[in-house]
Amino acid sequence: TMGVTEDLADELALDVIKYVDATGDDSIISEIVKILGATSQTAEEAFLTSMRVRRANIAARKMLMERAKAFKDKKEDQGG
């Protein structure tokens, strides 16, 4: 079912992001897309969607943490 496809693609995306973060080797992404696309366009699309969603969330969370830290530092500087 679609749920299984999305779950598997999301697990793969998470592992790929961890690998890329650890190694800096983002060529793995296009290689995985080729493998998935050769056998299942549905799996390829689900993987790419998960990659985009996860990367967007990581970027948004990083911005939120930086903003919160800046607020906290400013508050401490003001003696709050």
Side-chain angles (χ1 to χ4, degrees), residues 2-69:
M2 203 59 188
V4 172
T5 301
E6 289 166 351
D7 289 348
L8 291 173
D10 192 53
E11 286 175 28
L12 181 58
L14 182 58
D15 289 343
V16 168
I17 288 169
K18 287 178 185 173
Y19 171 82
V20 171
D21 285 350
T23 65
D25 174 20
D26 63 358
S27 67
I28 191 76
I29 297 167
S30 59
E31 292 174 37
I32 286 176
V33 167
K34 280 182 202 165
I35 292 168
L36 292 172
T39 54
S40 170
Q41 188 176 356
T42 304
E44 176 189 4
E45 290 169 3
F47 171 73
L48 287 169
T49 298
S50 284
M51 288 293 293
R52 283 192 295 272
V53 169
R54 284 190 171 277
R55 284 180 153 177
N57 272 276
I58 289 166
R61 189 169 295 277
K62 182 179 176 195
M63 186 272 290
L64 176 62
M65 292 301 139
E66 287 168 359
R67 188 76 59 96
K69 184 184 183 311

